[in-house]
Each structure stands twice: as structure tokens, then as C-alpha cells.
């Protein structure tokens, strides 16, 4: 069988599996639809959370992102895992004890205000829509690259699959498909890296291989070799950083806090039966995530080394087969600027006189190789000469990552619309059956909108996704945290804080990225913090404004303070009915 | 064990806060401090093929996050039982 046949077989098999799970776990109540009836145990919930969290970007793009940013790539690694510590210690157990369905539920009830509920619901919708657009595009791209169907057809197939299991199955269908998707994506990610690690360093464990010695040159550490290769070509040494420390610190902080504030992640902790299991599932989720996240930087090192060693100063007529194949998709492209028929890959923005003299002497005339970072994962099996079925597996893994995240986001969108907007604000006396119908209609609508953005992607999707973290950090996180840990916090403080945080962050980003992009340089930034990291400042402002306003306005009502007392203690008090009330 | 239930909850809450602050302090020192702010200083030391700061930034801090959560899970379960607020 060839690569394409293998890909069809493996992708076909995984899709059948997802469908079977969706039909088996069809949702019957709103409880099933929103929080899977709260019957999910911690290990499967941890896997589902991990699959929900790791998107097409984590699977396909992250290793490449790190490979080209070296040590500074730590902001993504730490930012996207460190948030789980905040989530486990500060939010998850209390929100689970609170026992409702959504984040706006908590904000609306805790701050006894439909305005707060509305603000939270709109923030949740905004964040989820920007995210889901990128996922659908990812589905289309994986389809088109591996199965050679047009991108748009790929998006349609992806929409169809997600439609069936998200609309029918709700959270219950999504959770159990995500468990399967996690297994597929992690196997697909690890297998090629095991092989490559073994070939380069003699140990199959990538986390060790990354710091090991090279099999080709005994006694030479791989990282030292890579530092040598990168500096020789005029780049910064791989294990050195170039970003300012304050900027790096705030970007990392904004990503961590933003992760803890993202509604599609928080909602997962509503699905377990007990408070103690909300803590355990955060622990499992992070283990499952860190398996991939500690492999990615190793893969980044292997891939960058392999790439430089393979293509630098190579005769173009002698390039390996994968090079030609991925050239056709524009992921890698070569332009022979000095007409010598060889590939020169180096940093042509380097102005060091010594390096310039070297460039001159070699007769180089600008960097000739343009590389898309996604190639680091996508072309990996071919670069390492792995069997054809591994290529098919990587395709199935990329699709699993994109579909699982898209489904989780669609659920947040449908919940926000049906539960928070329609039932919470517009039509409070909605029956259970009607609410479920609204949730399904909203999910179906969201699939179509996501598909539209997948087919006609706005140019700024990538940008906006990274800013979604800053906005989540500056809005949700302080409001939820203070709601749990500060009994005195009232609605005036919370609303003022959320509006200040999100307003400041959005304006700062909009000013530097859309209104006056020319000014987007370090000298003009506030305290030297780039728009990517400004969410950290937005969060601090939110805290300050919340606390100030709260002390100038009345204390919250008695019964609210009683709710806060109650969520701090895991044991169910007699007054509170268990969640099973929602069966029809 | 305190006889007054509200006194009991108060004690439980204070112990909980102390635990959370300790763990988050370690979290911040390692991820924002050692892996980000002091990374150059730590890079002067080596473990095997890794510079120390680089290893913490790309591997060690993430592993520590996992450990922190499980320490929290273990300590909280103990605290729940001790103050008789567990869900059994």
C-alpha cells in the first residue's frame, strides 16, 4: 500500500470510531448535553481535557514555532501548561462545588447580576469563535495535504463529522470521542519522534535524547552541535534567548493566566462527579498534556538539526523526495538568488561585520530557503524515512487534534447561547426540552459559522487567537478568583474590573496591531511589554479596579456570602440538591 | 476537632490558603523566575548536554507543574478527611 492508501485507511478507521462512540453516547438531558451528566471519571476526563486543549496548533505548529525561536520558545511551553496549576489550585474544585453548567453561570450568580452574566457570555462567545475558526482551517489543511482533496472539501467533511457528534452527543458524545482522539494524537506524535531520537542520539526517549550525544559524532552533545550550526549561519545560538526578559515574563504570564481563564477548559471540570475528582482530573490532564509538551522541544531540536544538516549548501538537483513533495504545497520554497544552483539557508538580517564578510566571501546573495514551521511535524516521518503507515498516522493525529478542540469550543458556544443568553437573560422560564433544542440549534449554527470562517479565513485569525489568551486573562480570571477567595467582592467591583481589564487589553492590542502598526516596536511599548504580553498588565489593572470599586460600594447580600462559604467546603450540604435533578 | 462547624470551616480554609500560597510561590519562582528571569545566570551551569536554565525552561518546569498539582491533590485529600469535610 502507498502513503495515500494508508492515510485513507487510518483516517477512515478513526472517523468510524468517533461516529460509533457518538451514537453510543447520545445526550438525553441538558445535564448530559452540557456536562455529560457529571458521570465522567478523572482519568478519561483528563484525557478529554488534554485533547480538548491541544489543538491543531499544538500538534502541527508548536514544534516548528520552538525550532525557530530557540530558548525563547519556553513562553509557549510554560504558558500553555503552567495555567493548569492555577486552574487546579484556584478555580476547578470551587467551580465544581458551585455545581452549575458554565462560567457565565458562576459570574452571573456570584455577582447577582444579569449584566455580569451577559458580559461573561459575550466574552466566552468571542474567545471561542476566534479559536474555532482556526481549528476548522486546520482540518481543511490536513485533509488537503494528506488526502489531496481541496481545502474547502476538507472543511466540509470536518464540519459534517463535528456536526454529528457535537449536535447529537453534546458534552457526553464529545468527551468520549475526545478520549479516543487523545490516544490517536499522542501515538501519532510520539512514534516518529522515538525513531528520530534513536537515529540521532541512540536513545529512543526524546526528552533524554535532546540532551544526549550524537551517534554521528560521539562526544559531541546535540545541543552544542545545534548551537554551532545556528551561530555559523548567523542566527542566535539555539539555547540563547533574544527577547527582553520583562517582555518574555509578561507573555508567559498572560498565556498561563489566559489558559486558566479559557471557558472551554474550565467547563471540563464541571463534568466529574465530585470536588476531589475535579482536582485529580486537572492532575491527569496535565500529565497527558506534558507528555506531548516535553516531546515538542526535543522534536524542535532534532528537526532543526536535521534540516540544516540536510539542506544547507545542497545542490538543488539532489534534494530528497520529501523536499520536492512539500515544495508543491508551498511549505518549503527555494529561490536561487545567486544562481549557483545550491541552497543557501542563513540569517540575512544579521549585520555583524565579521558575518557579512563571510557571506561576501562565500558569494551568498540573501537567504534562499523559505520554510513554513508546520513542516517540522508534517514532513517529519518522511525526513526520517519512516514507513508509509506512519505518515497516515500523523494525518489522523492532526485531524484528531483539530476536531477535538473544535468540538469542545462548539459546545461552549452552544451552551453560552442556549443556557446563558436565552435561558439566563431572555427567556428564564424555558423548559428543559426547549433548552436542549436551543442548545442543538446553537451548536448547528456554530458549526456553520465555524465552517464559513474555515473556508474564508480572515487574515488575522492567527493573531487574534494569541490575543484571546490576553483577553481571557484580563477579564475572566480575576472575576472568578475574587469571587471565590474574596467574600467582600461585589458586583460593582467585578463588572468595573472586567470592563477595565478587557477594555485596556483590547485597546492596547488594537492600537499597536491595527490602528498604528508602525509604532509596534519595543521603544513605544508600555514598560517594554509587547501586545502579546499586555494581558498580564490588564489582569493586574482588573484586580486593582475591582478592589477599589468594591470598597466604595455596598457589601454583597448575605445569601451571596453564604454561597461563597459553601463553595469553599467540598462536602455537599443538605440544602443543595444533587445534579441528577435535571433528568427529563 | 473544633465543635463549632463554622470554626471548623474557618480553620480548614486557612490551612487550604496556606497550602495554595506555598505551592504557587514555588510555581512562580521556577516558571517566571528560574525559567524566564534568571535563565541566563542558570545557563552557566550544565547537566549533561543541557544548560541548566535552558533545561528548566524547556523540560524541568513543566515536570514540576505536574508534581505541584499532585502534591496539592494529596494534601487536600488529607485535609478534607482531617476536617471531616470530605465527600464520602
Amino acid at each position: 500500500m502507498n502513503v495515500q492508501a494508508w492515510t485513507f485507511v487510518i483516517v477512515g478507521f478513526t472517523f468510524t470510531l468517533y461516529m460509533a462512540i457518538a451514537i453510543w453516547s447520545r445526550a438525553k438531558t441538558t445535564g448530559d448535553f452540557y456536562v455529560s451528566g457529571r458521570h465522567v471519571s478523572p482519568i478519561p476526563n483528563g484525557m478529554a481535557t488534554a485533547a480538548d486543549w491541544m489543538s491543531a496548533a499544538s500538534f502541527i505548529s508548536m514544534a516548528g514555532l520552538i525550532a525557530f525561536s530557540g530558548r525563547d520558545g519556553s513562553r509557549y511551553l510554560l504558558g500553555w501548561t503552567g495555567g493548569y496549576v492555577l486552574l487546579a489550585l484556584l478555580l476547578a474544585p470551587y467551580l465544581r462545588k458551585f455545581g452549575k453548567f458554565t462560567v457565565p453561570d458562576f459570574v452571573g450568580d456570584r455577582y447577582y447580576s444579569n449584566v455580569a452574566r451577559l458580559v461573561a457570555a459575550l466574552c466566552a462567545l468571542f474567545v471561542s469563535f476566534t479559536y474555532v475558526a482556526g481549528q476548522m482551517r486546520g482540518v481543511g489543511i490536513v485533509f488537503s495535504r494528506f488526502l489531496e482533496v481541496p481545502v474547502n472539501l476538507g472543511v466540509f467533511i470536518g464540519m459534517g463529522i463535528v456536526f454529528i457528534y457535537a449536535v447529537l452527543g453534546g458534552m457526553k458524545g464529545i468527551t468520549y470521542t475526545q478520549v479516543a482522539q487523545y490516544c490517536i494524537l499522542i501515538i501519532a506524535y510520539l512514534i516518529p519522534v522515538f525513531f528520530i531520537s534513536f537515529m540521532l542520539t541512540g536513545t529512543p526517549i526524546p526528552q533524554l535524547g535532546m540532551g544526549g550525544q550524537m551517534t554521528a559524532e560521539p562526544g559531541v552533545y546535540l545541543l552544542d552541535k545545534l548551537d554551532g550550526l545556528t551561530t555559523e549561519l548567523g542566527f542566535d545560538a539555539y539555547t540563547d534567548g533574544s527577547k527582553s526578559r520583562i517582555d518574555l515574563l509578561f507573555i508567559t504570564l498572560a498565556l498561563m493566566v489566559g489558559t486558566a481563564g479559557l471557558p472551554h477548559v474550565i467547563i471540563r471540570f464541571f463534568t466529574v462527579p465530585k470536588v476531589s475528582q475535579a482536582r485529580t482530573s486537572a492532575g491527569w490532564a496535565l500529565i497527558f498534556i506534558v507528555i506531548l509538551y516535553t516531546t515538542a522541544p526535543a522534536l524542535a531540536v532534532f528537526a532543526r538539526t536535521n534540516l540544516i544538516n540536510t539542506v544547507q549548501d545542497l545542490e538543488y538537483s539532489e534534494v530528497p523526495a520529501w523536499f520536492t513533495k512539500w515544495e508543491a504545497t508551498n511549505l518549503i520554497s527555494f529561490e536561487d538568488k545567486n544562481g549557483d544552483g545550491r541552497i543557501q539557508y542563513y540569517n540575512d538580517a544579521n549585520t555583524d561585520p565579521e558575518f557579512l564578510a563571510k557571506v561576501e566571501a562565500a558569494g551568498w546573495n540573501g537567504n534562499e530557503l523559505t520554510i513554513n514551521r508546520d513542516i517540522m511535524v508534517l514532513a517529519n516521518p518522511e525526513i526520517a524515512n519512516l514507513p508509509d503507515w506512519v505518515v497516515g498516522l500523523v494525518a489522523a493525529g492532526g485531524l484528531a487534534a483539530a476536531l477535538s478542540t473544535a468540538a469542545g469550543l462548539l459546545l461552549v458556544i452552544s451552551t453560552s447561547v442556549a443556557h446563558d443568553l436565552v435561558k439566563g437573560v431572555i427567556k428564564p422560564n424555558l423548559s428543559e426540552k426547549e433548552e436542549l433544542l436551543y442548545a442543538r440549534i446553537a451548536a448547528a449554527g456554530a458549526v456553520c459559522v465555524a465552517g464559513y470562517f474555515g473556508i474564508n479565513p480572515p487574515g488575522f485569525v492567527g493573531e487574534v487567537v494569541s490575543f484571546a489568551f490576553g483577553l481571557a486573562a484580563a477579564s475572566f480570571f480575576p472575576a472568578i478568583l475574587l469571587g471565590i477567595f474574596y467574600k467582600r467582592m461585589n458586583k460593582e467591583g467585578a463588572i468595573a474590573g472586567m470592563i477595565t481589564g478587557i477594555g485596556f487589553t483590547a485597546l492596547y492590542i488594537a492600537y499597536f496591531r491595527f490602528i498604528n502598526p508602525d509604532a509596534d516596536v519595543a521603544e513605544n511599548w508600555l514598560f517594554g511589554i509587547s501586545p502579546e504580553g499586555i494581558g498580564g498588565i490588564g489582569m493586574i489593572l482588573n484586580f486593582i479596579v475591582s478592589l477599589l470599586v468594591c470598597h466604595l460600594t455596598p457589601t454583597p447580600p448575605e445569601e451571596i456570602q453564604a454561597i461563597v462559604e459553601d463553595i469553599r467546603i467540598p462536602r455537599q450540604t443538605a440544602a443543595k440538591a444533587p445534579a441528577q435533578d435535571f433528568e427529563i | 476537632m473544633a465543635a463549632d462547624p463554622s470554626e471548623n470551616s474557618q480553620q480548614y480554609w486557612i490551612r487550604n490558603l496556606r497550602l495554595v500560597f506555598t505551592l504557587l510561590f514555588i510555581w512562580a519562582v521556577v516558571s517566571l523566575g528560574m525559567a524566564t528571569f534568571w535563565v541566563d545566570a542558570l545557563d552557566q551551569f550544565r547537566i549533561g548536554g543541557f544548560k541548566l536554565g535552558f533545561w528548566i525552561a524547556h523540560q524541568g518546569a513543566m515536570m514540576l507543574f505536574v508534581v505541584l498539582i499532585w502534591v496539592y491533590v494529596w494534601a487536600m485529600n488529607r485535609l478534607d478527611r482531617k476536617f471531616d469535610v470530605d465527600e464520602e
Side-chain angles (χ1 to χ4, degrees), chain B residues 24-45:
Chain B
L24 285 184
F25 180 74
I26 302 173
W27 170 85
V29 166
V30 173
S31 62
L32 299 175
M34 293 162 82
T36 310
F37 214 74
W38 303 312
V39 67
D40 287 313
L42 289 170
D43 266 349
Q44 290 158 9
F45 304 99

Side-chain angles (χ1 to χ4, degrees), chain B residues 15-31:
Chain B
R15 293 281 292 273
N16 176 2
L17 289 181
R18 210 178 293 157
L19 174 69
V20 167
F21 274 118
T22 315
L23 295 176
L24 285 184
F25 180 74
I26 302 173
W27 170 85
V29 166
V30 173
S31 62

Side-chain angles (χ1 to χ4, degrees), chain A residues 70-71 78 81-82 88 94 207 211 221 224 239 245 256 274-276 279-280 283 293-294 297 568 570-571, chain B residues 12-13 16 27 37 39-40 43 46 49-51 58-59 61-62 65 69-70 72 80 84-88:
Chain A
R71 194 184 70 193
L78 302 181
T81 55
Y94 309 106
Q207 287 82 353
Y221 284 114
D224 294 338
T239 58
R245 286 189 293 186
M256 291 204 270
K274 292 198 288 182
V275 174
S276 58
R279 301 178 196 135
T280 333
Y293 271 59
T294 51
R568 291 176 176 183
R571 175 170 293 167
Chain B
Y12 169 78
W13 187 242
N16 176 2
W27 170 85
F37 214 74
V39 67
D40 287 313
D43 266 349
R46 287 185 73 113
F50 289 107
K51 291 186 202 164
H58 277 216
Q59 298 279 316
M62 289 189 279
F65 294 157
I69 294 188
W70 284 99
Y72 171 76
D80 287 354
D84 194 31
V85 293
D86 59 324
E87 296 152 287
E88 297 312 322

Side-chain angles (χ1 to χ4, degrees), chain A residues 10 57 77 188 222 267 271 340 353 413 453 563 565:
Chain A
I10 296 176
L77 296 168
L222 177 62
I267 204 170
T271 63
D340 66 352
I413 293 171
F453 282 124
I563 293 182
E565 286 287 345

